[in-house]
Each structure stands twice: as C-alpha cells, then as structure tokens.
Amino acid sequence: MPFVRIAGLAHHVAVDGDGPVCVLSAGLGLGWFDWDPVVPLLAPHRTVVRFDRPGHGLSQGTTTPPTLAGEAGRIAALLDALRLPGPVTVVGHSIAGLHAEGFARLHPDRTAALVLVDSSVEEHPRPGRLGWTVPAGTALTALGLPAALGPTLRRLAAHPDPAPPAEVRRVYRTSRVWRGALRENARYGTVAAELDALRRARPLPPGLPVTVLAAPDGSARWERRQRALARRLGARYEAAEPSGHLVMRDAPGTLARVVLETGQEPA
C-alpha cells in the first residue's frame, strides 16, 4: 500500500476501483481497514480513496494540533498527490464528518457531493486544549499499555470487530496511534467551533448533493440531532437501521447505496 508525503509527513493511502473519485475518512482512532466492508460495493463504480490521518492507521504521527482548515487542506493535498483533482464525493464518519464538511465549504470547486456518516454534532462547541495529551501519551507509552493492551482495547471498543487481526495488532500496538487519537480528541471542541464559524462565513456550494446518514440505534435524542443537522445543511436524511456507530461495519450496503445515490453518476 502506498504512502504519500503531505506537509512533510508520510500518509498511508489505499486506492481501489475506477470511475468518479470518492474519498472516505474514518472517525477518531480508526484506520483504513475499517472501510473494508464498503470498498467492494463502491469500487465497481468509483475510484475509492482511503487514507489515515496523522497518528492513525499507518500514517506518521505529528505534534502539530489539528485544525479544521488543516484537515480540509489535507484532503485537497492528498488528491493533488494522487493526481485526482476532482470534483470528488467526500465521505466523513464521526469526527471526520467535521473535516468533510469543512472541505466542501473551503474547496467548493473540488466537491461533487458530501456524505456525513453518523457525523459528530455540536450545537454549542467549545474550544479544547492540548495540554494534557502529551503527558497522557507519554504515560501510556512508559507503562507499555499500547503494546500490551492496545489490540484488546480496540476489539472491545469495536465489538464485534471484523477488522483483520494482523492489521489490528500492527496498528494498535503502537503508541503513535494512541497519541494521535488523544491529540485529535483533545482538539475536537476547537475543530467543531471552527466549523461553526465557517458555516456562517462560507456557505455550501448551491445545489451540492448532501446526505446525512445517521445511526440512531434507538436513541431519539441522537436522531433529533442528526435530523437537525440535515435541516441546517439542506441535506437529505436517512437512518441506517439496524446499525451502531460504525455504519461501515454494520450496514455497508446502505452506506454504499447512499454514497452512490448522493455522488456523481458514473461516466
């Protein structure tokens, strides 16, 4: 699997299929292989691009705090490195939904469609701080917890976990991945606040196809929040049922159908 260098960092990338480009970005702490159930359903119709953000999957870690503009620019730089200028369908899961929407607002000429998969929703975001992430990551490493417990914690969090066991061990035994997740989580409120400000300054492109695919999983409150997000974005709303938060694992057929229906028609 190839690596591309963006802003001096090696980013792990997987490209499959042929046709209009679709970029998949997974949630906090997840890796490229979490999209495995969806890729065979999209690849006959789309060029499917999966990538690991810094400190995630197999990508190089960084000490630079994540920002909304930086994550949107990362997607653009990745497409440039792959010589896939777009426009593309950008799909963001969970926290990456913030990044995907940011990309659509900051790079409207490169966006063909937007799909938010059980995306993070913050009605009143508050900026977060990074101060505790460095000592926390150092402590985890010093105690040897990533190597000893990392894959087990991943399996418990994602149970039942269809990800390849060898890849889970390869990724989650490293302190780099846990540091990356801690750093991204600490900046979650800040990135959400940046998106809130961007929504007021940079509207989505007129007529952009947008779908909010939610996984309410019995939570009426979460469904209301996801529906409110769809109304705010002028998006189509659909519920993936039954499905937990990892929609790509629980309802890959639904997710693939939504992406194909929302994005460009194949040439």
Side-chain angles (χ1 to χ4, degrees), residues 25-28 51-56 59 71 74 95-96 99 184:
S25 187
L28 179 72
F51 73 102
D52 295 325
R53 295 187 299 280
H56 288 62
S59 288
E71 294 309 314
R74 191 182 314 282
I95 193 174
H99 311 156
E184 198 167 85

Side-chain angles (χ1 to χ4, degrees), residues 93-127:
H93 167 254
S94 193
I95 193 174
L98 308 180
H99 311 156
E101 185 183 338
F103 176 85
R105 292 180 185 276
L106 292 171
H107 302 276
D109 56 326
R110 305 187 71 167
T111 308
L114 173 64
V115 179
L116 303 179
V117 183
D118 217 36
S119 179
S120 297
V121 180
E122 290 297 326
E123 293 83 357
H124 307 288
R126 295 181 179 181

Side-chain angles (χ1 to χ4, degrees), residues 80-162:
D80 288 341
L82 296 174
R83 298 184 180 180
L84 299 170
V88 306
T89 296
V90 59
V91 182
H93 167 254
S94 193
I95 193 174
L98 308 180
H99 311 156
E101 185 183 338
F103 176 85
R105 292 180 185 276
L106 292 171
H107 302 276
D109 56 326
R110 305 187 71 167
T111 308
L114 173 64
V115 179
L116 303 179
V117 183
D118 217 36
S119 179
S120 297
V121 180
E122 290 297 326
E123 293 83 357
H124 307 288
R126 295 181 179 181
R129 297 185 177 181
L130 272 173
W132 59 272
T133 61
V134 173
T138 301
L140 285 173
T141 302
L143 293 171
L145 292 182
L149 298 177
T152 299
L153 292 174
R154 152 74 197 210
R155 293 290 188 194
L156 290 173
H159 181 78
D161 190 355

